[in-house]
Amino acid sequence: MRNRWLIALAAIGIHISIGSVYAWSVLTRPIMAEMGITLSETTGVFSTAILFLGITTCFLGNFVEKIGPKKSGLLSTLFFGLAMFGTYLAISWHNLPLIYLCYGALGGVGIGIGYMAPVSTLIRYFPHNRGLATGLAIMGFGFATLFAGPTMQQVTASFGIAENFLIMGTLYVAVMLAASLYLKPPVDGEARVHAKMQVETGPTAADALKTWQFASLWWVFFVNIACGIALFALAAPMAQDVIGMDAGSAAAMVGLIGLFNGGGRFIWSTVSDYIGRGRMYALFFLMEMVAFWQLGNTRDIFLFQAMIFLITSCSGGGCTSQTSSARASWALFTAAC
């Protein structure tokens, strides 16, 4: 039996590592300058990683549950490590297709497996506080840019964009390896889950796909995810082009995005335990509509950042609020595709 707070720490460690994908916008301009490629080609790498993240969580969920959190975490470490080290070689060789293969495809698979591995395990340690458990598990995914944004900017400025992937990849692999080796589901938690499954009945996944409720759920998740993903890919270039920030200030803003995204994942998911998931999403959409309207009509640096922080907070909170409810993750990540 593991200490459940150390399990939470291990989950956060994995998610802080793979969540560095959300700091991609900090690397956009250095990669463009080094490779001589366009903005759309650079952001396409991020989009490919998110696509493979969605595909992985969609089709490998049962596989991850079957092999257990430790093996899943180690598999995630392998794929994400190959992605980071492969991207180092790809940039050194100025090979754009290899970047798409390594960071986009392999990285997306590693992120997808790593995202799922700790969540269900931690929920079993907190059976009566699923929102809190889910918030703890993937809070690190949102907080990742708080560390990764400024650090990657500094490492890139000091050593180069290719070396950034080598240095950060080494660090992330070490953290993920240690965290994965500690993950283990509680025996009594598994017994409760199995006992519950024996008395509950419901539609199969194939049956659920045919219902209007699934389509509605998919659309809700898609809208909420799209709000955040659009900003994660372009936050730093937007801040530099629209507001006139320098590279260091834009990287600091991306770091703060991690603070609000991670905080939103924990705070909003906990609130959803009390007011319900439906009311929570209604509040998300109301805040996001106001924020995007303001974002498109302001050149004030304070208001610009405040609206970005609000949107990413809601997007992060939406990820945890849904994950804590039943088995909606499949719909969420097919929406992410």
Side-chain angles (χ1 to χ4, degrees):
M1 187 73 171
R2 302 283 198 230
N3 182 294
R4 66 178 185 170
W5 296 108
L6 290 179
I7 289 288
L9 184 62
I12 292 171
I14 291 176
H15 278 219
I16 280 181
S17 301
I18 61 176
S20 60
V21 66
Y22 278 173
W24 180 260
S25 65
V26 172
L27 307 176
T28 298
R29 285 183 177 273
I31 291 176
M32 291 170 61
E34 178 71 22
M35 301 281 293
I37 57 179
T38 65
L39 177 62
S40 62
E41 289 174 323
T42 309
T43 56
V45 178
F46 173 83
S47 300
T48 302
I50 298 302
L51 171 65
F52 276 87
L53 159 64
I55 292 173
T56 301
T57 52
C58 176
F59 293 105
L60 294 184
N62 289 335
F63 173 75
V64 168
E65 287 288 332
K66 182 178 179 180
I67 66 174
K70 180 182 294 186
K71 291 182 180 179
S72 297
L74 293 174
L75 190 61
S76 172
T77 303
L78 173 63
F79 274 94
F80 195 67
L82 288 174
M84 295 294 285
F85 300 143
T87 304
Y88 159 71
L89 293 176
I91 294 178
S92 300
W93 298 339
H94 288 196
N95 190 323
L96 181 60
L98 188 58
I99 298 179
Y100 273 81
L101 173 63
C102 293
Y103 198 89
L106 295 180
V109 173
I111 295 167
I113 296 174
Y115 195 100
M116 293 184 290
V119 176
S120 61
T121 300
L122 190 56
I123 288 176
R124 294 174 186 175
Y125 281 88
F126 296 85
H128 303 298
N129 301 99
R130 294 183 301 168
L132 171 65
T134 308
L136 286 172
I138 62 179
M139 177 177 60
F141 202 87
F143 276 146
T145 54
L146 181 62
F147 165 76
T151 303
M152 286 182 171
Q153 192 274 332
Q154 186 60 48
V155 171
T156 299
S158 301
F159 300 99
I161 183 62
E163 288 73 14
N164 166 75
F165 287 93
L166 179 63
I167 294 170
M168 297 302 291
T170 302
L171 175 62
Y172 288 141
V173 166
V175 172
M176 293 177 70
L177 183 62
S180 299
L181 291 174
Y182 190 77
L183 289 178
K184 178 183 178 182
V187 176
D188 60 335
E190 289 182 321
R192 283 196 299 270
V193 170
H194 290 312
K196 188 176 181 181
M197 290 174 62
Q198 291 175 0
V199 299
E200 287 187 350
T201 59
T204 64
D207 293 332
L209 284 173
K210 303 173 184 177
T211 65
W212 67 267
Q213 289 93 338
F214 179 87
S216 300
L217 193 64
W218 187 94
W219 180 249
V220 167
F221 294 161
F222 173 81
V223 172
N224 187 67
I225 291 170
C227 290
I229 292 296
L231 294 181
F232 293 134
L234 296 169
M238 282 176 59
Q240 292 172 269
D241 295 339
V242 177
I243 304 300
M245 286 185 176
D246 57 38
S249 298
M253 186 196 73
V254 172
L256 287 175
I257 284 176
L259 177 64
F260 283 89
N261 185 255
R265 289 166 185 260
F266 179 74
I267 295 171
W268 293 130
S269 64
T270 303
V271 171
S272 74
D273 278 339
Y274 295 95
I275 70 173
R277 321 302 181 198
R279 292 187 182 92
M280 193 73 258
Y281 265 93
L283 182 60
F284 285 152
F285 291 147
L286 177 62
M287 291 190 291
E288 286 169 341
M289 284 189 293
V290 173
F292 270 107
W293 180 77
Q294 288 289 338
L295 194 61
N297 291 280
T298 185
R299 294 299 180 268
D300 180 78
I301 188 170
F302 176 80
L303 185 59
F304 176 85
Q305 292 182 93
M307 293 303 99
I308 284 185
F309 295 153
L310 178 60
I311 292 166
T312 53
S313 168
C314 293
S315 179
C319 288
T320 47
S321 294
Q322 64 75 33
T323 307
S324 61
S325 61
R327 293 185 176 272
S329 297
W330 196 91
L332 169 74
F333 288 109
T334 56
C337 292

